[in-house]
Amino acid sequence: GENVEQHPSTLSVQEGDSAVIKCTYSDSASNYFPWYKQELGKGPQLIIDIRSNVGEKKDQRIAVTLNKTAKHFSLHITETQPEDSAVYFCAVPSIDTGRRALTFGSGTRLQVQP
Amino acid sequence: GAGVSQSPSNKVTEKGKDVELRCDPISGHTALYWYRQSLGQGLEFLIYFQGNSAPDKSGLPSDRFSAERTGGSVSTLTIQRTQQEDSAVYLCASSPSGTANQPQHFGDGTRLSIL
């Protein structure tokens, strides 16, 4: 099955700094890469996704970059704010389910210090 | 519009009891997924429904777990003879269609505690 590794597991930054979270995956045929933000007591919220026909996608302060050759993709958050503090998960479609269900990374706990 | 709705939000029950968890997907979404998130763990796929097709049950951890989806909308996940290791947050997601690589939108989950 698909193997997804996510780093770092925890990340602490000062407000206004940038944060980068990286995921590597094993299935070279994967072509959809979402990122989710999960706040305490809530379900994961889709914040950005990218398909393999592009190398980068931006939405205001967040961006995702994809390197298909190296099989990794990264979430970039610029000008971090305290409300960005949450757990972030990457995911890739699971080969075992015909790429319908998702296989998730282990999560990154981001803390933005005011 | 309304998002994915799950009930109850919290459930505490004794070991050995059966529990039913409910998911109401986003209106018009034909695909529905159940995942489990254990303490300190990532999200683990359980089961997937798409329209009237047979569900993909490949993620169910044991035969004590079952799910159904009536009328192509609401789904219930049933756990029989609950064990302490079943304690987790059970998350439901839906997507517009069952084709591969579709965005999935999650509810806030049911936090299940087995005493």
Side-chain angles (χ1 to χ4, degrees):
Chain A
E2 178 69 74
N3 186 37
V4 181
E5 294 192 1
Q6 183 172 344
H7 298 283
S9 56
T10 61
L11 181 59
S12 182
V13 299
Q14 291 293 317
E15 182 176 358
D17 287 351
S18 295
V20 181
I21 304 169
K22 181 176 176 179
C23 280
T24 60
Y25 60 95
S26 58
D27 176 17
S28 57
S30 288
N31 58 7
Y32 175 66
F33 307 92
W35 283 93
Y36 286 85
K37 174 183 180 183
Q38 187 174 28
E39 297 176 323
L40 195 62
K42 299 288 189 181
Q45 176 193 5
L46 179 66
I47 57 172
I48 195 167
D49 56 11
I50 192 171
R51 297 182 187 278
S52 58
N53 56 340
V54 296
E56 182 176 8
K57 182 177 177 181
K58 288 184 180 179
D59 182 2
Q60 300 182 348
R61 295 187 298 106
I62 60 173
V64 55
T65 59
L66 171 65
N67 184 327
K68 283 216 72 178
T69 302
K71 292 189 285 187
H72 65 72
F73 60 111
S74 298
L75 176 70
H76 304 254
I77 307 173
T78 58
E79 302 173 26
T80 53
Q81 300 168 6
E83 52 265 37
D84 295 329
S85 296
V87 180
Y88 292 82
F89 292 95
C90 63
V92 295
S94 165
I95 302 173
D96 296 339
T97 63
R99 296 194 176 83
R100 287 163 172 80
L102 295 171
T103 297
F104 286 84
S106 54
T108 297
R109 183 173 300 277
L110 173 65
Q111 183 147 14
V112 180
Q113 307 284 354
Chain B
V4 176
S5 178
Q6 291 189 246
S7 61
S9 54
N10 288 281
K11 177 73 175 178
V12 181
T13 193
E14 293 180 346
K15 176 182 172 182
K17 300 287 188 182
D18 297 353
V19 295
E20 277 193 0
L21 313 178
R22 175 188 168 105
C23 173
D24 200 341
I26 293 172
S27 178
H29 281 196
T30 62
L32 185 148
Y33 311 78
W34 283 98
Y35 293 85
R36 177 169 71 175
Q37 186 172 30
S38 303
L39 188 63
Q41 303 287 321
L43 289 91
E44 169 192 20
F45 164 71
L46 297 177
I47 188 168
Y48 155 73
F49 295 88
Q50 165 52 27
N52 295 321
S53 302
D56 180 340
K57 306 178 182 179
S58 60
L60 294 179
S62 80
D63 59 7
R64 296 186 296 104
F65 288 71
S66 63
E68 63 179 21
R69 189 179 185 193
T70 53
S73 181
V74 172
S75 176
T76 56
L77 176 69
T78 301
I79 309 174
Q80 296 178 308
R81 304 180 304 282
T82 51
Q83 304 294 315
Q84 288 187 331
E85 61 263 28
D86 299 334
S87 295
V89 177
Y90 289 82
L91 292 158
C92 177
S94 68
S95 64
S97 76
T99 56
N101 308 324
Q102 287 291 301
Q104 296 181 24
H105 302 275
F106 283 81
D108 285 337
T110 294
R111 183 174 300 276
L112 177 63
S113 300
I114 309 300
L115 303 178

